[in-house]
Amino acid sequence: MELADARIRIDYANTLGFIDTSAMESAHQRIINAQQLLASRSGPGADFLGWVDLPSQARTDLSPILEAAARIRAQADVLIVVGIGGSYLGARAVIEALRPPFAAEGPAVIYAGHHIDGAYLRSLMDSCGDHRVCINVISKSGTTTEPALAFRVLRQWMEQRYGREEAARRTYATTDAQRGALRRVADEEGYTTFVIPDDVGGRFSVITPVGLLPIAAAGIDIGAFLDGAIAMRGIAAGTNPDSNPVLRYAMLRDALYRQGKHIEVLASFHPELTVVSEWWKQLFGESEGKDGKGIFPAAVTNTTDLHSMGQYIQDGERRLFETFLFAERSADDIVVPEVAGDTDGLNYLAGSGFAEVNANALRGTALAHLDGGVPNATILLPGINAASIGALLYFFESTVALCGYALGVNPFDQPGVEAYKSNMFALLGKPGNEARRSELLAQISRDGNAVAG
Amino acid sequence: MELADARIRIDYANTLGFIDTSAMESAHQRIINAQQLLASRSGPGADFLGWVDLPSQARTDLSPILEAAARIRAQADVLIVVGIGGSYLGARAVIEALRPPFAAEGPAVIYAGHHIDGAYLRSLMDSCGDHRVCINVISKSGTTTEPALAFRVLRQWMEQRYGREEAARRTYATTDAQRGALRRVADEEGYTTFVIPDDVGGRFSVITPVGLLPIAAAGIDIGAFLDGAIAMRGIAAGTNPDSNPVLRYAMLRDALYRQGKHIEVLASFHPELTVVSEWWKQLFGESEGKDGKGIFPAAVTNTTDLHSMGQYIQDGERRLFETFLFAERSADDIVVPEVAGDTDGLNYLAGSGFAEVNANALRGTALAHLDGGVPNATILLPGINAASIGALLYFFESTVALCGYALGVNPFDQPGVEAYKSNMFALLGKPGNEARRSELLAQISRDGNAVAG
């Protein structure tokens, strides 16, 4: 299948001076090998390749999700989505990319359970006032601390507000098919449930009900979103880097990293893509950042951050490369008005659209940063709509799989996420962690006198 | 003056294994030298040291700002703050730190002119509906592209909405005392105006009316905010790093950078401090990132990002150090409720406050990242209130001045911010830039065929 909105391109002219032919050729070889490893499902993490074929699988029957989404839209002024990490960022990235930033139609979507902040949760509940509320709680196990704690509080609050039965009708659980704490509660209470597949990791789960249910409830066309991802699935299978932007982006990243460019700055020129960049940071940081390796992913939103991180990128240490993200068509544009007297000297722009000014900000920035010694490429989106965002997310998922394999890591695990949790459980006195608790407390008290102020 | 809320401390036990005595001693010497250079006003950028004594100067007469803020609160349901960079981040950082995230009292504060996005501006105006609106436009020159374009659109909209005279009564301009495009318009139209001093750079301007007016209009006690900064001014003058956390933080940064820790991750454990981290990125990135030098500043918000960047920080390349930001007391806490049957296994936390769980997440994370090879220090705030935030911002300003001098750069200029602007002006056809325009277009067309996809 082919779809104009999925035709993502990458302009890499401003990297050519940094990568010679032989470096590009070895990167090409490594990425092609990685592509074969992925296709043959013989690389590390092969049990977590469910994401590869998800778009077309999900597309076959959207009706349960669409029905639940329609019910939420009828039931609620506010949808509280409870989840963290991959159970949080995907839906939020897509919703904020595609809804108007102010005064969207349909339920407001608010996030909870993505940190441990009591004042936030209190303010959230207070603000609901007389609004009608639904909850979508998302957790594979149901025991992840942050969403589980928030759900304890919100469930109690919903049951006080609506009574137990009506609260259950307003609660949607996305969880394991059979096992786990949330599955048990959901079955007992009779929540509407959706399944998180076993072979899809959290950061790849936006195309499962984890992402699709809140996205659909926000009024976004998930059919078009999936069509974009399906089209990109076709493109990503190509073996020619001139027509497959996944291969090209993966090659650039691989080659630049091996030349000492250890930081990638994803620089979008669209504020509505700020959470897409956050999602990208999780996807790339968690997939590559292991075994003492990996590009450090950072993000800026321009032109805002040209007045912030712009100075560093232009003139600081030369250990970074930049990936711009730009949409070539922009909806609902505003034209610069003429001002009598031209006080601010901007009448030369009168009649231009904001999008045109923004496009020239991108072009000017790319050349300025090139002059400053920063290799940079530009990912060109055909627009910002459900299909192009579906294509973009799948584009990034496909790229990181190849880059992780080329780097020699398992791009589908995240062993390092457990370390803080096990310390935290021990410090909190979770039964069974007594020995570790004593060790940690001893360490803290031994080092505890190095405090200034 | 002394103030409990300003007593910021820094726990650096988890850096000691990475900095030997002699490295700490040379860092100490460099930072003490920098402190003397700053005090004697004999270092580079000495014309921009106005920020040093701003807190006490601003404190002497707050009445014009308080009166304007009270008028805005009476006039408006929505205050649109138009500015970019230093004319944007400071106010937003303080307001988001101190207001409840949902349903705050007093006018909603919305930001504009901090990027070039027509759809955003359109959505903003559409969402105002029947709400009463005021504007605070902030620009030293009045010709910075982003705020000037937004103000063109918003001024026209306000004049259509209210008529020219009433629109002028609802417009507050913070700008140069005498010169510049915005000063001229403000005087012609009779806007209420406030002055941006000549000797204060944008990223240090939060303690001028640039920050203070919107902060006061949001209902925050700017007297207490300044008292916190004044107290930190006193603390920062001390010469003993055991009692002056500014010296200690500056020494750690200096020593770690020289050992190849090129990235600093500021990791707050409070979502309401997310924009404080953005402000910090501008302050540190713009002050240090020049002449091919400088620590790359990145930020995460925990525990959210422990489920995202946490993997990289735990296990990725070991070129980074981490600075946690944690408030020891937390307002309006929520207690974990007991759940019958303990389905999620968290009853061992029942009766604990969220703040206590969060504190143990911090302790667990700090030790886990130490085990992973990441030196880390923790900035301990006594709480999150107007005084402690005033102290914190002044703490960071004082630190970056010392670190910049120790690094051998001018911490008060930002020459690299101009590069993209001059390219953009040329590409947009600004009169007088014809030669540069031809050069850039030639470069673009020469390289334009390296596009994949």
Side-chain angles (χ1 to χ4, degrees):
Chain A
M1 128 162 240
E2 181 110 1
L3 196 72
D5 287 318
R7 290 224 65 90
I8 289 169
R9 297 181 305 141
I10 184 160
D11 180 341
Y12 60 103
N14 294 345
T15 64
L16 293 176
F18 299 85
I19 307 171
D20 67 26
T21 314
S22 85
M24 191 71 103
E25 197 33 61
S26 5
H28 186 197
Q29 200 48 59
R30 280 188 296 273
I31 296 300
I32 288 290
N33 290 348
Q35 192 185 34
Q36 288 161 357
L37 205 57
L38 184 68
S40 63
R41 298 178 174 255
S42 50
D47 289 348
F48 286 90
L49 294 180
W51 62 273
V52 173
D53 292 314
L54 268 182
S56 46
Q57 282 169 10
R59 191 75 179 89
T60 55
D61 185 14
L62 290 177
S63 51
I65 290 177
L66 291 174
E67 281 159 24
R71 214 158 73 240
I72 291 170
R73 291 173 68 78
Q75 283 175 313
D77 308 305
V78 176
L79 170 64
I80 303 175
V81 178
V82 179
I84 196 166
S87 298
Y88 153 68
L89 278 167
R92 185 167 189 171
V94 175
I95 292 169
E96 299 206 358
L98 297 175
R99 278 193 146 184
F102 305 99
E105 280 173 37
V109 182
I110 297 181
Y111 304 88
H114 57 313
H115 46 58
I116 313 172
D117 190 300
Y120 175 96
L121 208 51
R122 173 88 64 199
S123 173
L124 190 167
M125 292 185 292
D126 287 349
S127 77
C128 283
D130 296 332
H131 293 313
R132 300 167 307 140
V133 179
C134 281
I135 291 185
N136 180 199
V137 53
I138 306 170
S139 178
K140 180 84 171 155
S141 66
T143 56
T144 302
T145 310
E146 293 87 345
L149 288 182
F151 187 58
R152 279 192 170 215
V153 173
L154 291 169
R155 180 183 165 192
Q156 195 179 60
W157 174 72
M158 288 288 281
E159 291 181 353
Q160 280 162 6
R161 202 176 162 94
Y162 291 110
R164 191 164 166 184
E165 275 188 31
E166 177 63 13
R169 276 192 290 271
R170 294 175 168 276
T171 303
Y172 298 76
T174 307
T175 187
D176 191 85
Q178 285 153 349
R179 290 174 305 272
L182 182 55
R183 165 57 60 191
R184 206 147 67 245
V185 173
D187 288 346
E188 278 168 24
E189 300 293 318
Y191 302 156
T192 303
T193 61
F194 291 92
V195 171
I196 307 179
D198 285 330
D199 58 353
V200 179
R203 59 188 176 276
F204 291 86
S205 70
V206 62
I207 288 171
T208 72
V210 168
L212 295 176
L213 179 60
I215 292 168
I220 291 161
D221 180 350
I222 55 172
F225 174 74
L226 291 174
D227 287 342
I230 291 168
M232 183 52 69
R233 165 90 171 94
I235 293 168
T239 55
N240 180 351
D242 293 332
S243 53
N244 178 355
V246 170
L247 292 183
R248 181 60 66 185
Y249 181 38
M251 287 161 60
L252 297 174
R253 298 183 80 258
D254 180 89
L256 290 168
Y257 179 61
R258 286 167 198 267
Q259 295 187 20
K261 303 300 181 187
H262 297 283
I263 301 172
E264 177 176 11
V265 178
L266 183 69
S268 126
F269 273 74
H270 305 282
E272 63 266 48
L273 300 184
T274 299
V275 187
V276 169
S277 298
E278 287 299 309
W279 176 88
W280 171 90
K281 277 160 62 179
Q282 182 192 6
L283 182 69
F284 281 77
E286 218 166 64
S287 301
E288 295 183 327
K290 52 196 70 163
D291 306 341
K293 306 189 213 176
I295 299 171
F296 183 88
V300 298
T301 296
N302 288 337
T303 59
T304 304
D305 288 329
L306 287 167
H307 296 250
S308 165
M309 289 296 293
Q311 166 66 39
Y312 189 103
I313 296 170
Q314 185 73 46
D315 284 341
E317 285 210 356
R318 305 297 70 180
R319 295 173 195 265
L320 51 86
F321 68 99
E322 204 169 12
T323 304
F324 296 108
L325 183 53
F326 186 76
E328 299 187 88
R329 285 178 286 109
S330 176
D332 197 17
D333 203 14
I334 285 186
V335 165
V336 178
E338 176 123 9
V339 165
D342 196 18
T343 339
D344 59 10
L346 294 173
N347 267 354
Y348 77 97
L349 296 176
S352 300
F354 271 50
E356 186 187 334
V357 180
N358 201 32
N360 282 297
L362 163 68
R363 295 160 88 200
T365 302
L367 292 174
H369 291 181
L370 175 65
D371 283 347
V374 179
N376 59 78
T378 302
I379 297 170
L380 292 160
L381 285 179
I384 298 179
N385 52 55
S388 74
I389 295 297
L392 180 66
L393 301 193
Y394 197 91
F395 167 81
F396 283 137
E397 291 179 355
S398 305
T399 303
V400 84
L402 303 187
C403 288
Y405 279 158
L407 192 63
V409 301
N410 176 352
F412 306 112
D413 68 358
Q414 54 285 331
V417 177
E418 298 308 312
Y420 97 90
K421 291 187 199 173
S422 59
N423 282 355
M424 177 177 75
F425 294 148
L427 289 167
L428 284 168
K430 185 176 179 179
N433 297 269
E434 290 73 12
R436 180 70 180 144
R437 179 178 160 82
S438 304
E439 268 174 48
L440 291 171
L441 291 178
Q443 185 177 357
I444 289 171
S445 92
R446 194 171 58 241
D447 301 335
N449 57 349
V451 178
Chain B
M1 126 165 244
E2 182 110 0
L3 196 70
D5 288 318
R7 290 223 64 91
I8 289 170
R9 298 181 304 141
I10 184 160
D11 180 339
Y12 60 103
N14 293 346
T15 63
L16 293 176
F18 298 86
I19 308 173
D20 66 26
T21 314
S22 84
M24 191 70 103
E25 197 33 61
S26 11
H28 186 199
Q29 200 48 59
R30 278 188 297 272
I31 296 300
I32 288 290
N33 291 347
Q35 192 185 33
Q36 288 161 357
L37 205 59
L38 185 68
S40 62
R41 297 177 175 256
S42 51
D47 289 349
F48 286 91
L49 294 180
W51 62 272
V52 174
D53 292 316
L54 268 181
S56 45
Q57 283 168 11
R59 192 73 179 89
T60 56
D61 186 13
L62 290 177
S63 52
I65 291 176
L66 292 174
E67 282 159 24
R71 215 156 74 239
I72 291 169
R73 290 173 68 79
Q75 282 175 314
D77 307 306
V78 175
L79 170 63
I80 303 175
V81 177
V82 179
I84 196 166
S87 299
Y88 153 69
L89 278 168
R92 186 166 189 171
V94 176
I95 292 169
E96 299 204 357
L98 296 176
R99 278 192 147 184
F102 304 99
E105 279 173 37
V109 182
I110 298 180
Y111 303 87
H114 56 314
H115 47 58
I116 313 172
D117 190 299
Y120 175 95
L121 208 50
R122 172 89 63 201
S123 172
L124 190 169
M125 293 186 292
D126 288 349
S127 77
C128 284
D130 296 331
H131 293 314
R132 298 166 309 138
V133 179
C134 280
I135 290 185
N136 179 199
V137 53
I138 306 171
S139 177
K140 180 84 172 156
S141 66
T143 56
T144 301
T145 310
E146 292 88 345
L149 288 182
F151 186 58
R152 278 191 170 215
V153 172
L154 291 170
R155 180 183 166 193
Q156 193 180 62
W157 174 72
M158 287 288 280
E159 291 181 353
Q160 281 162 4
R161 203 175 161 95
Y162 290 110
R164 191 162 165 185
E165 275 187 33
E166 178 62 14
R169 276 192 291 271
R170 292 175 169 276
T171 304
Y172 297 77
T174 306
T175 186
D176 190 86
Q178 285 155 348
R179 290 174 304 273
L182 181 54
R183 166 54 61 186
R184 206 147 67 244
V185 173
D187 288 346
E188 278 167 24
E189 300 294 317
Y191 301 156
T192 302
T193 62
F194 291 91
V195 170
I196 307 178
D198 285 330
D199 58 354
V200 179
R203 61 188 174 274
F204 290 86
S205 70
V206 62
I207 288 172
T208 73
V210 168
L212 294 176
L213 179 61
I215 292 168
I220 291 161
D221 180 349
I222 55 171
F225 174 74
L226 291 173
D227 287 343
I230 290 168
M232 183 52 68
R233 165 89 170 95
I235 293 167
T239 54
N240 181 350
D242 292 334
S243 53
N244 178 355
V246 170
L247 293 182
R248 182 60 65 185
Y249 182 38
M251 287 161 57
L252 299 173
R253 298 183 81 256
D254 181 89
L256 291 167
Y257 179 60
R258 285 168 199 267
Q259 295 186 23
K261 303 300 181 187
H262 296 284
I263 300 172
E264 178 176 8
V265 178
L266 183 69
S268 125
F269 273 73
H270 306 282
E272 62 266 47
L273 300 184
T274 299
V275 187
V276 168
S277 297
E278 286 298 309
W279 175 88
W280 172 90
K281 278 160 62 178
Q282 182 191 7
L283 182 69
F284 281 77
E286 219 167 62
S287 301
E288 294 184 327
K290 53 196 69 164
D291 307 342
K293 304 188 212 177
I295 299 170
F296 183 89
V300 299
T301 296
N302 287 341
T303 59
T304 304
D305 289 329
L306 287 168
H307 296 251
S308 163
M309 288 297 293
Q311 167 65 40
Y312 189 102
I313 296 170
Q314 186 71 46
D315 284 341
E317 285 212 356
R318 305 296 70 180
R319 296 173 192 263
L320 50 86
F321 69 98
E322 204 169 13
T323 303
F324 297 109
L325 183 54
F326 186 75
E328 298 187 90
R329 285 179 285 110
S330 177
D332 196 18
D333 203 14
I334 286 186
V335 165
V336 177
E338 177 122 8
V339 165
D342 196 20
T343 340
D344 58 11
L346 293 173
N347 268 354
Y348 76 98
L349 295 176
S352 301
F354 272 49
E356 187 188 334
V357 180
N358 201 31
N360 282 300
L362 163 70
R363 295 161 88 200
T365 303
L367 293 174
H369 291 181
L370 175 65
D371 283 347
V374 179
N376 59 78
T378 303
I379 297 170
L380 292 159
L381 285 179
I384 298 179
N385 53 53
S388 74
I389 295 297
L392 180 66
L393 301 193
Y394 197 91
F395 167 82
F396 284 137
E397 291 180 354
S398 305
T399 304
V400 84
L402 303 186
C403 287
Y405 279 160
L407 192 62
V409 302
N410 176 352
F412 306 112
D413 67 359
Q414 54 286 330
V417 177
E418 298 308 312
Y420 98 90
K421 290 188 198 172
S422 59
N423 282 356
M424 177 177 74
F425 294 148
L427 290 167
L428 285 167
K430 184 177 179 179
N433 297 270
E434 290 74 11
R436 180 68 180 146
R437 178 177 161 83
S438 303
E439 269 173 47
L440 292 171
L441 292 178
Q443 186 178 355
I444 289 170
S445 91
R446 194 170 60 241
D447 301 334
N449 56 350
V451 178

